[in-house]
Amino acid sequence: MKSKYQDMGDRGFLLVPVFDERVKDHPLDSVGALVYAYLLFLVRNKKPERRSASRTKISLSLRLDKKAVDKAVGILIQGGLVRELGSRVE
């Protein structure tokens, strides 16, 4: 019997924060939570140049629409959870 994550190989695991989307004051949706989780994953990288990503890299890595990533990053910036330095988001 295979273990639960045996097929994942050497891929990194992405822990997605759980948000209660029923709260009206909470602007993050599931795409925003996924983008935020990806950026948190990047922060743990040992190389400083890999701790941030462009919006295009985020959309390609997560296989999301570029407009959805733009909206999610905008909401995360407004909430003070991430910042944008040039073309990179960290």
Side-chain angles (χ1 to χ4, degrees):
M1 182 169 174
K2 291 184 177 180
S3 65
K4 185 174 183 180
Y5 297 108
Q6 187 174 358
D7 292 336
M8 292 296 291
D10 292 332
R11 295 181 185 170
F13 290 93
L14 187 64
L15 300 174
V16 179
V18 178
F19 297 104
D20 187 0
E21 293 183 15
R22 296 174 293 173
V23 179
K24 292 182 181 181
D25 293 337
H26 197 289
L28 277 183
D29 57 358
S30 57
V31 173
L34 187 61
V35 170
Y36 186 55
Y38 178 71
L39 291 170
L40 287 175
F41 172 75
L42 291 179
V43 167
R44 293 181 287 198
N45 199 311
K46 293 180 182 178
K47 296 182 180 180
E49 64 272 6
R50 293 189 181 176
R51 291 183 185 164
S52 62
S54 67
R55 292 175 187 226
T56 304
K57 181 181 177 187
I58 295 170
S59 65
L60 290 174
S61 297
L62 298 176
R63 293 180 174 56
L64 294 173
D65 181 47
K66 179 96 166 62
K67 290 182 181 181
V69 171
D70 288 341
K71 179 183 173 188
V73 169
I75 292 171
L76 291 170
I77 289 172
Q78 286 178 348
L81 297 172
V82 300
R83 63 181 172 187
E84 194 164 27
L85 301 171
S87 65
R88 309 212 27 107
V89 180
E90 68 176 23

